[in-house]
Amino acid sequence: MRTATDRALIRSRFLAVDVANVADVLDDLGHRHQALATDVTCVAGRERLAGWAFTISGAMSDTPGRDPLKAQACTQIGPDEVSVWQGNGSGVCYFGELVAIGMMQRGSPGAVLDGGVRDRKWLHELGFTTFSRYPAAVQTSGRWRVDAWQQPVTLPGASGQPVIIEPGDFVLGDDDGVMVIPAGIVDVVLEAAETMTDKEIDVRAAIRDGMTLADAMTEFGRI
């Protein structure tokens, strides 16, 4: 069981590595289908997101009134956790500014949605980093409802295969996309990605100092 301090430290270290490097490490480890669909992009915030997955799922519903399970789910999220929303819906926003404020108060740095979000201007001003498939002004009341949280969810994957996200997996997003790192290999992936990042710094410096790309590939291997 990781302590809160350990979780926060791991998150801060992941913020210093690129999604592309994590993708390469996961490939090397045989986890070749961990990237979310390419239409899941940053729509608000700092364009860099890292955190432990707090999963939420829902579905279209014509039940009128507010969504009590959404409120319950969002008040359970904790520090350094990223809400990951399995939508099963279309054309509606799953949350906006006010829900984001509540999640931020609990220490969440952002969210990833297989669906829509609204209040992007305000989310951006809040610094609540949000990756979603599309903007949507239409609210969910009477259209879509949360049905579970902290259960495995499935989101479309970039390779065409779905990505299963378990509570406690690690989510990393930047302007290259979003990767999901299974909880059991978080430490291995982080250390390898940090090593790859350091290597890229050396390669970059060598090329700037006049080394040819061919020589760099010979000296440093895959780049």
Side-chain angles (χ1 to χ4, degrees), residues 17-40:
V17 300
D18 293 336
V19 164
N21 285 344
V22 169
D24 289 351
V25 170
L26 287 167
D27 270 358
D28 291 343
L29 294 173
H31 295 266
R32 301 179 61 83
H33 305 287
Q34 298 301 120
L36 297 188
T38 56
D39 61 349
V40 177

Side-chain angles (χ1 to χ4, degrees), residues 2 23 40 53 63 69 71 73 86 90 151 153 165 175 191 197 202 204 207-208 215 220:
R2 300 182 193 274
V40 177
T63 302
L69 293 186
Q86 176 180 298
S90 177
Q151 299 293 323
V153 296
I165 302 108
D175 50 11
E191 291 175 8
T197 298
D202 293 339
R204 193 176 297 120
I207 292 174
R208 285 174 176 168
D215 288 343
F220 295 100

Side-chain angles (χ1 to χ4, degrees), residues 52-70:
W52 305 89
F54 181 96
T55 61
I56 300 173
S57 65
M60 299 300 286
S61 169
D62 59 4
T63 302
R66 298 195 176 276
D67 184 348
L69 293 186
K70 181 194 288 187

Side-chain angles (χ1 to χ4, degrees), residues 63-204:
T63 302
R66 298 195 176 276
D67 184 348
L69 293 186
K70 181 194 288 187
Q72 290 182 44
C74 292
T75 57
Q76 298 300 311
I77 198 167
D80 301 307
E81 292 182 334
V82 170
S83 57
V84 180
W85 300 66
Q86 176 180 298
N88 301 317
S90 177
V92 297
C93 77
Y94 299 154
F95 73 86
E97 173 202 9
L98 300 182
V99 169
I101 289 173
M103 291 191 287
M104 288 183 72
Q105 288 175 339
R106 296 190 58 80
S108 172
V112 176
L113 300 91
D114 177 25
V117 68
R118 70 179 184 180
D119 301 329
R120 291 169 59 192
K121 170 187 174 182
W122 302 112
L123 293 175
H124 190 74
E125 290 192 6
L126 286 169
F128 190 76
T129 303
T130 308
F131 284 73
S132 77
R133 286 180 49 216
Y134 51 81
V138 177
Q139 67 173 328
T140 55
S141 180
R143 299 183 177 93
W144 184 91
R145 296 173 78 84
V146 167
D147 55 29
W149 63 93
Q150 287 300 73
Q151 299 293 323
V153 296
T154 303
L155 271 65
S159 68
Q161 294 196 24
V163 180
I164 299 173
I165 302 108
E166 302 270 356
D169 286 349
F170 199 87
V171 178
L172 184 67
D174 65 17
D175 50 11
D176 284 333
V178 180
M179 298 297 299
V180 178
I181 304 157
I185 58 171
V186 164
D187 296 293
V188 172
V189 171
L190 176 57
E191 291 175 8
E194 287 176 329
T195 298
M196 191 176 292
T197 298
D198 291 340
K199 178 181 176 182
E200 285 191 346
I201 292 172
D202 293 339
V203 174
R204 193 176 297 120

